[in-house]
Amino acid sequence: IQVLYDVTSNTTDDYDNDNDPYDTRTTEVRGTVRYVDTRDQTLELEPTTGRTGLVVVHYDSNTIVEFEGRRYKPENLERGDRVEVEVHELNGRMIAEEILVVGEAATR
């Protein structure tokens, strides 16, 4: 028997064969960056669809940020950037896998 997903802890184990470090369902959050906290590695987003209130999304060294075909670090995001964020939920936190900048802040 190979356990692929423990529903009681919402985590995966090392026996998963697809090499996905998250192995959770992903969803998309679209919104505008309100704040980037580089110390806590979080983004505060004002969602444009589906959610109300500010949304906090965590990022890590695996998070990809793309803008006009180039890759950046999440720390390069600015207040006012419009983004589409592919997230998964892990232990009650939304973790960004990929961030696509679809419109940059007007101050750039």
Side-chain angles (χ1 to χ4, degrees), residues 8-9 29-30 67 73 99:
T8 60
S9 66
V29 177
R30 294 178 185 198
F67 177 60
K73 293 182 179 184
I99 302 169

Side-chain angles (χ1 to χ4, degrees), residues 1 57 82-83:
I1 297 175
V57 176
R82 292 184 317 279
V83 295

Side-chain angles (χ1 to χ4, degrees), residues 3-107:
V3 178
L4 299 176
Y5 185 75
D6 179 357
V7 295
T8 60
S9 66
N10 197 26
T11 61
T12 60
D13 66 6
D14 294 331
Y15 298 106
D16 193 359
N17 292 326
D18 66 3
N19 296 323
D20 180 357
Y22 304 115
D23 195 34
T24 57
R25 285 174 281 152
T26 59
T27 58
E28 185 175 271
V29 177
R30 294 178 185 198
T32 303
V33 174
R34 289 293 166 222
Y35 183 72
V36 179
D37 186 335
T38 57
R39 195 189 83 200
D40 288 337
Q41 293 187 306
T42 59
L43 306 173
E44 229 177 60
L45 302 176
E46 183 178 323
T48 54
T49 58
R51 300 176 188 260
T52 58
L54 293 177
V55 174
V56 175
V57 176
H58 298 261
Y59 64 86
D60 58 25
S61 60
N62 294 318
T63 303
I64 297 167
V65 178
E66 286 193 22
F67 177 60
E68 295 182 342
R70 292 184 160 159
R71 289 194 175 191
Y72 297 90
K73 293 182 179 184
E75 294 85 359
N76 295 117
L77 292 168
E78 294 183 358
R79 179 181 173 90
D81 285 343
R82 292 184 317 279
V83 295
E84 294 177 358
V85 184
E86 188 175 307
V87 299
H88 68 274
E89 193 166 326
L90 182 64
N91 298 325
R93 298 182 346 172
M94 286 197 297
I95 311 293
E97 291 182 25
E98 185 172 359
I99 302 169
L100 177 63
V101 179
V102 295
E104 60 184 333
T107 59

